[in-house]
Amino acid sequence: MELNNKKWTDDEFYGVRKQILNTWETGKGVADLEKNIEYAKSVPDHKNFAKKMEKAKNEGITLAQPRAGVALLDKHIELLRYLQDDGGADLLPSTIDAYTRLNRYDECEVGIEESRKVGRSLLNGFPGVNHGVEGCRRVLEAVNVPLEARHGTPDARLLTEIIHAAGWTSNEGGGISYNIPYAKSVSIERTIKDWQYCDRLVGIYEEAGVSINREPFGPLTGTIVPPSTSNAVAIVEALMAAEQGVKSITVGYGQCGNLIQDVAAIRALQSQCDEYLRNNGYNDCVVTTVFHQWMGGFPADEAKAFGVISNGSATAALAGATKVIVKTPHEAIGIPTKEANCEGIKTTKMTLNLLQGQQLPMSEQLKTEIAIIKAETKCMIDKLFEIGKGDLAIGAVKGFDMGVIDIPFAPSKYNFGKMMPARDNNGAVRYLKFGNIPFTKELKDYNVKKLEERGKFEGREVGFQMTVDDIFAVGKGRLVGRPE
Ligand SMILES: CCC[C@H]1O[C@@H](n2cnc3c(N)ncnc32)[C@H](O)[C@@H]1O
């Protein structure tokens, strides 16, 4: 099938569906799409992700959502109920394990078996495909808030069929955001097509009256990604999802650390995503935003980790993000215990509650940062439309090949890999090397000027050593990687 940014026909969709459902035995359990939709229709409104996100946006509140996932079904249910009841999570995940993300369901079977033997999770997440629609429905029926699959799966087609048949009304990911940061040699054409399938499935549920939320993965490599780079990817994935019939879209952004720039990134993301959707004829989408607490290196000291978590929560609230993704005091170690995960949520909710109703007021500085982010984002997206001759999917594939969008520190061989970021003297993330990103001269000059201010302050050359120092800075307890 040729790649293009057009809604799939029924023949195209159902042709692929038959083949997908045969890739693991649990695919049989979701063969009847009508029955799947009937079950999803039975999910009450308070457990519908799209509805809860829209309500939060209208009320101006920021919801808290953790990450969580373990191998065994009963343990996973116990974990989610604990995070809901003791932590106060407004929304729940099921973080899917790495084998599932690579479609290695046979390894999941082994992992589940071994986990049963030793009585603890030997998988780094919940193997949703192996537990099948029955298992995933048990998870949904055991909790009282909406449920989302969070993962990093280039080919999530079978997982998506199963989770939505189980009444999970949100799915994270996208053809770019779950490829470039997660895979080494999967083509962007392949993953855009596979995620068009996932989005078309959501469109079919929507057309049958079941609202389902889609969340492109905002942070990407989570390593000082400039806001306009991650905003551009989020908006491109939102546009491609809308073409397949998705109506509820949560665009995301990973905290960078300078308060004004982070607030500007969320404000720019919300308004520019609305604008691009409207200008491309998608007038009935509901766009919300998600702010990911700091995704880079964390301090091992738990008290300091709580400082990072609180800081991220405050930024999310002041930005007016619709939801915030919670980190835990075990971030520097790895997968958190349920207690540590719970503490991360409580710290987050305490900060959100204290700031409820407060948002950072507009200022000259904030206005400038919003304008810079929007202008940089526009340069990238409009170039994709141009080289795709109006087709965004074709433009995205060509654009990555040309370095029009270039994600720092990405493992994918399809990423251009010439752009390099670094923080300015206030910690805002700027472009140190532009690679082939098609910025205007004034935008390039702005970035250069901001980095030269830092060089002058630190008494050193502007260069890659700043980037290296910035990567380790937060783990060492500061934002800007000052020379030692
Ligand atoms: C892109 C997401 C990275 C974050 O995702 C967390 N994460 C991954 N897997 C699990 C899990 N099974 N339970 C709780 N958190 C998890 C990591 O700690 C990191 O912060």
Side-chain angles (χ1 to χ4, degrees):
M1 200 170 95
E2 272 303 293
L3 175 69
N4 58 46
N5 185 38
K6 284 276 163 286
K7 185 187 276 192
W8 283 25
T9 65
D10 283 353
D11 287 350
E12 286 166 337
F13 178 78
Y14 290 102
V16 172
R17 185 169 201 264
K18 243 200 305 295
Q19 170 241 325
I20 281 303
L21 298 187
N22 285 326
T23 51
W24 192 252
E25 62 208 50
T26 52
K28 282 194 286 296
V30 292
D32 186 334
L33 185 48
E34 293 307 314
K35 269 175 56 185
N36 302 343
I37 290 172
E38 277 322 299
Y39 179 85
K41 271 186 179 161
S42 74
V43 173
D45 281 1
H46 72 277
K47 286 168 67 167
N48 179 283
F49 220 99
K51 290 181 164 57
K52 188 154 186 178
M53 289 294 282
E54 186 171 7
K55 187 167 177 286
K57 176 183 178 180
N58 295 339
E59 292 170 355
I61 63 168
T62 301
L63 302 172
Q65 182 182 13
R67 297 183 175 98
V70 290
L72 301 179
L73 189 54
D74 294 341
K75 291 287 181 194
H76 186 66
I77 287 173
E78 184 190 317
L79 169 63
L80 294 189
R81 290 172 70 107
Y82 179 72
L83 299 180
Q84 170 190 276
D85 298 338
D86 288 61
D90 300 302
L91 302 162
L92 284 171
S94 282
T95 300
I96 304 296
D97 74 286
Y99 284 128
T100 303
R101 300 180 186 193
L102 296 170
N103 312 115
R104 290 164 59 179
Y105 311 120
D106 50 349
E107 299 280 0
C108 290
E109 282 304 313
V110 174
I112 292 168
E113 216 21 65
E114 292 305 307
S115 300
R116 273 205 191 97
K117 281 185 197 145
V118 301
R120 65 186 174 82
S121 183
L122 298 181
L123 295 175
N124 63 354
F126 180 74
V129 169
N130 292 66
H131 287 306
V133 64
E134 297 77 17
C136 292
R137 282 178 180 166
R138 277 190 49 200
V139 178
L140 179 90
E141 288 160 11
V143 299
N144 209 20
V145 295
L147 203 46
E148 174 182 30
R150 305 189 72 83
H151 38 108
T153 312
D155 178 1
R157 294 173 293 175
L158 180 55
L159 173 66
T160 300
E161 282 280 359
I162 289 171
I163 61 156
H164 293 327
W168 301 12
T169 47
S170 183
N171 192 16
E172 187 187 35
I176 299 168
S177 63
Y178 268 9
N179 177 337
I180 301 293
Y182 282 97
K184 180 157 184 50
S185 45
V186 183
S187 81
I188 298 175
E189 172 164 355
R190 173 76 270 140
T191 48
I192 285 181
K193 278 180 182 168
D194 288 350
W195 276 91
Q196 284 178 325
Y197 177 96
C198 298
D199 287 333
R200 185 67 209 114
L201 179 63
V202 169
I204 290 167
Y205 273 82
E206 280 284 356
E207 286 143 25
V210 181
S211 300
I212 292 186
N213 171 259
R214 279 279 294 110
E215 178 190 337
F217 176 56
L220 302 174
T221 51
T223 311
I224 47 176
V225 179
S228 52
T229 291
S230 57
N231 282 13
V233 170
I235 294 169
V236 167
E237 289 194 351
L239 287 163
M240 292 197 286
E243 175 59 27
Q244 298 306 324
V246 173
K247 303 291 178 207
S248 169
I249 300 171
T250 301
V251 279
Y253 168 73
Q255 178 179 14
C256 283
N258 173 278
L259 176 63
I260 297 273
Q261 187 182 51
D262 285 338
V263 172
I266 288 287
R267 302 275 174 85
L269 183 55
Q270 173 76 59
S271 68
Q272 202 164 22
C273 191
D274 282 332
E275 192 183 329
Y276 267 104
L277 284 167
R278 253 193 332 273
N279 293 348
N280 285 274
Y282 309 111
N283 299 310
D284 54 356
C285 291
V286 177
V287 176
T288 49
T289 56
V290 52
F291 184 86
H292 293 248
Q293 291 173 3
W294 175 245
M295 295 291 283
F298 247 69
D301 176 292
E302 295 202 7
K304 290 179 181 175
F306 283 118
V308 179
I309 292 165
S310 303
N311 172 263
S313 308
T315 305
L318 292 170
T322 320
K323 78 174 178 180
V324 60
I325 305 296
V326 177
K327 286 280 177 154
T328 82
H330 285 183
E331 180 58 22
I333 307 157
I335 308 255
T337 61
K338 70 175 191 187
E339 291 77 10
N341 208 336
C342 184
E343 288 172 338
I345 304 167
K346 288 200 269 190
T347 296
T348 298
K349 292 217 52 160
M350 187 69 218
T351 307
L352 294 176
N353 294 343
L354 291 172
L355 284 168
Q356 187 156 341
Q358 299 181 55
Q359 287 193 15
L360 199 69
M362 190 50 78
S363 64
E364 272 320 300
Q365 253 195 321
L366 181 53
K367 222 156 88 180
T368 303
E369 284 303 333
I370 290 171
I372 291 286
I373 292 169
K374 282 184 159 182
E376 291 176 349
T377 303
K378 182 171 167 50
C379 288
M380 289 181 258
I381 297 179
D382 289 358
K383 181 57 84 179
L384 296 189
F385 273 109
E386 181 194 317
I387 58 180
K389 296 189 177 51
D391 188 299
L392 190 55
I394 296 170
V397 173
K398 287 186 175 161
F400 269 87
D401 192 44
M402 294 162 61
V404 169
I405 297 183
D406 190 345
I407 297 169
F409 315 107
S412 173
K413 70 182 185 185
Y414 295 98
N415 189 60
F416 200 66
K418 294 286 179 292
M419 184 278 278
M420 206 34 72
R423 293 185 186 280
D424 69 17
N425 212 32
N426 298 318
V429 175
R430 305 296 176 192
Y431 292 82
L432 169 70
K433 292 194 189 115
F434 300 98
N436 279 356
I437 298 178
F439 285 162
T440 60
K441 186 181 174 315
E442 47 268 17
L443 285 172
K444 289 186 176 179
D445 291 348
Y446 181 83
N447 280 277
V448 168
K449 178 170 74 67
K450 298 300 272 184
L451 289 172
E452 278 169 354
E453 284 169 7
R454 173 180 177 183
K456 190 153 161 279
F457 178 85
E458 293 179 347
R460 66 168 163 174
E461 282 297 300
V462 173
F464 183 59
Q465 188 55 46
M466 290 179 172
T467 310
V468 174
D469 294 342
D470 291 340
I471 287 171
F472 292 99
V474 174
K476 292 180 179 171
R478 56 188 320 158
L479 181 63
V480 184
R482 299 299 182 191
E484 290 184 341

